[in-house]
Amino acid sequence: MIQITDLSKCCGCTACAAACPVSCITMQADTEGFLYPRVDTEKCINCGLCEKVCPVLHAKETPTAEEEPKGAMVRSKDPKILRRSTSGGFFYPLCKYVCRQGGVVYGVSMDEAFVVSHSRSVKTSDCIRFLGSKYVQSRVDGIFRQVKEDLADGRIVCFSGTPCQVHGLVRYLGKPYDNLILVDLVCHGVCSAKLWKKYRDYMQKKHHSVLREAHFRSKKYGYNNSTMHLQFDNGDYYGTNRIDPFLKTFFSHIALRPSCYDCQFKTVKRVSDFTIFDGWNAGEKIGNHDDMGYTNVIVQSQKAQKILGELEPDLEIYSSELRFMIPKSGGMTMNSARVHPRRAEFQALLEEKGFGAAVDKYLRITQMDHVIEKAKLALRDSRTFRKIAKKKREITRRK
Ligand SMILES: Cc1cc2nc3c(=O)[nH]c(=O)nc-3n(C[C@H](O)[C@H](O)[C@H](O)COP(=O)(O)OP(=O)(O)OC[C@H]3O[C@@H](n4cnc5c(N)ncnc54)[C@H](O)[C@@H]3O)c2cc1C
Ligand code: SF4
Ligand code: SF4
Ligand code: SF4
């Protein structure tokens, strides 16, 4: 039976809970708010299935498609979808393709209570809620079993999630399905639902208002300025990753799930069909500088190659070599986030004194940060800045 003694060895994918024939595994949150399996030993029949399906225990054994992965940079042709998506809006055209054929899409959405979870959709328009990255680990309770039922019914199923969730699903299913399309991400790591709640409470207090909507990666200041957008009753807040305390927490690696610092799913070749990630320099290569974003796609299988072709009416597609898309160092495709040296102290203060105190002490956002950010954003729209940016691009192109 599965027993978590080292937290870094469990990514919380729920495959074990889904596989347990006597349903004696429940996912329980630890003090940091991350979910881990807990076995009711009274009910356990020692069948060993939970260990067999665990993707962390068997990360290197799970078969992948035989084809060499290929690269593409893509962008949605619909400006509304592009604006709403994090990068180039790859996912919505795929949802449309699946729903049009009577298929089912599983993606990550956030409800009115700001709970981030996987949910199921059969209508294209309903899939709009899946767009945009949510930098919080999604709840997957019950989803793997639902996916299996849909597959058994012969429906086309598209499942998107973090690499560990996709890998967990593959191991839980235990065999390949022609009617299954898997989409994973290049994944930096995830924060807990508890941290996300603490941030929201802190921001509501600070803004003396009630939060109505949240977007982790607004394009208000362009794709290259990752910006949190919060819609309060009394107005809108926009904070870039230099000054927004949640984004700063996320990108500083101070509060990621322990398994994210030793992620077992960091590789180019994956068990998925598509791997999607930020196309930070795609605009340069394509020669479009509107700063609205492109999605880098690793096409992992023949199935994916065929589907990508069918998305052409809705997607601009530029084929590209992987070596141009993935940095030489391997970036987040190949490497885990480095643990922040003050992670333990941050968590302790977070628990004791709250979000504001922990961020003030360990991630300090200064007045100077605000000044720099204001100046940068003001300059962004000015003629001088555009001239400097153009010059920089010309130099880069010459290189
Ligand atoms: C937690 C997380 C970490 C990431 N880290 C990196 C990184 O380090 N480097 C990088 O290049 N890209 C990273 N990405 C991917 C990047 O943010 C974009 O999702 C990607 O570029 C695709 O953009 P898109 O416009 O095509 O997708 P969209 O059209 O915006 O669709 C978003 C897709 O992401 C899925 N999704 C949203 N939130 C979650 C979640 N919490 N868990 C699982 N799936 C989710 C949705 O189901 C949907 O499929 C990360 C994404 C997430 C969610
Ligand atoms: S050993 Fe079998 S019965 Fe026991 S927890 Fe694991 S899957 Fe469930
Ligand atoms: S990684 Fe997934 S399958 Fe393995 S123990 Fe954790 S939740 Fe269970
Ligand atoms: S970094 Fe690895 S372990 Fe963490 S959420 Fe992403 S895929 Fe899972």
Side-chain angles (χ1 to χ4, degrees):
M1 118 194 47
I2 215 101
Q3 263 178 327
I4 309 301
T5 46
D6 174 354
L7 297 187
S8 73
K9 298 282 181 270
C10 172
C11 60
C13 70
T14 76
C16 53
C20 179
V22 292
S23 299
C24 73
I25 303 180
T26 49
M27 300 298 290
Q28 309 269 338
D30 71 348
T31 52
E32 294 183 356
F34 292 110
L35 300 175
Y36 294 90
R38 190 171 298 162
V39 177
D40 178 343
T41 47
E42 298 273 294
K43 284 198 199 154
C44 172
I45 53 168
N46 277 315
C47 67
L49 260 180
C50 47
E51 287 177 351
K52 193 172 161 214
V53 298
C54 178
V56 174
L57 293 178
H58 306 283
K60 308 288 178 272
E61 297 159 27
T62 320
T64 56
E66 275 170 18
E67 297 80 36
E68 272 299 301
K70 294 196 173 71
M73 302 178 291
V74 309
R75 168 181 277 195
S76 166
K77 289 181 182 170
D78 181 339
K80 280 198 207 123
I81 296 302
L82 181 60
R83 183 157 277 282
R84 189 84 192 240
S85 300
T86 290
S87 305
F90 166 77
F91 197 56
Y92 196 74
L94 181 61
C95 297
K96 192 171 158 189
Y97 167 85
V98 172
C99 294
R100 209 175 42 213
Q101 298 176 74
V104 185
V105 179
Y106 289 88
V108 176
S109 57
M110 185 161 54
D111 66 13
E112 313 82 65
F114 303 97
V115 175
V116 175
S117 60
H118 265 81
S119 56
R120 179 182 185 275
S121 191
V122 291
K123 254 173 78 183
T124 311
S125 57
D126 189 38
C127 293
I128 201 96
R129 64 205 162 96
F130 299 145
L131 307 193
S133 296
K134 293 98 187 162
Y135 292 139
V136 178
Q137 185 159 40
S138 64
R139 295 204 62 120
V140 207
D141 323 47
I143 293 288
F144 285 7
R145 287 182 180 181
Q146 256 181 304
V147 169
K148 198 174 200 171
E149 279 168 29
D150 282 326
L151 288 168
D153 285 347
R155 301 182 82 162
I156 296 179
V157 177
C158 171
F159 178 92
S160 83
T162 57
C164 55
Q165 290 168 337
V166 170
H167 210 118
L169 174 64
V170 166
R171 290 206 63 83
Y172 162 72
L173 293 172
K175 61 170 190 172
Y177 285 83
D178 287 342
N179 50 332
L180 177 62
I181 306 163
L182 294 167
V183 182
D184 70 1
L185 314 148
V186 162
C187 181
H188 175 106
V190 284
C191 290
S192 73
K194 184 171 173 180
L195 181 92
W196 172 228
K197 164 101 174 54
K198 279 183 184 279
Y199 164 78
R200 290 190 327 265
D201 291 347
Y202 167 80
M203 291 301 267
Q204 292 195 110
K205 217 166 161 190
K206 191 170 169 189
H207 288 260
H208 309 288
S209 190
V210 178
L211 183 62
R212 297 295 173 197
E213 262 193 56
H215 302 277
F216 293 76
R217 285 274 298 269
S218 154
K219 292 181 180 171
K220 162 96 171 162
Y221 302 123
Y223 171 61
N224 281 287
N225 283 300
S226 297
T227 302
M228 175 72 80
H229 174 201
L230 302 178
Q231 230 173 297
F232 289 105
D233 269 350
N234 63 3
D236 288 311
Y237 155 90
Y238 292 94
T240 58
N241 56 357
R242 185 192 294 273
I243 56 165
D244 177 73
F246 184 85
L247 291 183
K248 189 134 188 181
T249 307
F250 179 66
F251 288 113
S252 69
H253 309 169
I254 206 165
L256 301 177
R257 188 177 175 104
S259 58
C260 301
Y261 302 110
D262 184 21
C263 176
Q264 300 300 308
F265 312 98
K266 296 283 182 180
T267 164
V268 173
K269 187 73 190 148
R270 311 269 180 102
V271 298
S272 57
D273 295 294
F274 295 102
T275 299
I276 57 176
F277 60 114
D278 277 292
W280 295 120
N281 54 5
E284 273 317 317
K285 297 206 175 94
I286 291 162
N288 179 337
H289 308 291
D290 63 5
D291 202 13
M292 286 303 288
Y294 286 89
T295 305
N296 279 341
V297 182
I298 305 177
V299 185
Q300 303 274 6
S301 62
Q302 236 168 47
K303 189 200 294 180
Q305 191 66 52
K306 187 174 163 288
I307 294 170
L308 188 63
E310 304 223 15
L311 303 185
E312 208 143 9
D314 293 313
L315 272 184
E316 289 173 31
I317 303 171
Y318 306 87
S319 61
S320 172
E321 288 186 43
L322 290 176
R323 66 192 164 99
F324 295 132
M325 293 160 59
I326 301 169
K328 266 198 188 124
S329 66
M332 279 293 151
T333 311
M334 302 290 289
N335 305 297
S336 297
R338 275 210 209 130
V339 62
H340 191 291
R342 314 298 293 276
R343 187 186 186 281
E345 292 109 298
F346 178 86
Q347 289 292 351
L349 197 61
L350 185 69
E351 201 53 27
E352 193 194 333
K353 298 240 166 89
F355 186 83
V359 167
D360 273 353
K361 175 135 193 213
Y362 297 109
L363 297 172
R364 214 168 166 71
I365 297 162
T366 62
Q367 276 312 316
M368 190 47 92
D369 285 324
H370 284 275
V371 171
I372 294 172
E373 210 52 20
K374 248 195 192 138
K376 200 177 95 191
L377 297 178
L379 265 173
R380 185 179 170 266
D381 296 323
S382 79
R383 201 186 278 180
T384 331
F385 183 80
R386 283 202 298 270
K387 267 193 190 158
I388 297 170
K390 192 168 170 224
K391 199 90 210 148
K392 247 176 94 183
R393 283 197 301 268
E394 282 167 5
I395 295 167
T396 321
R397 258 203 302 275
R398 260 182 255 135
K399 281 182 187 163

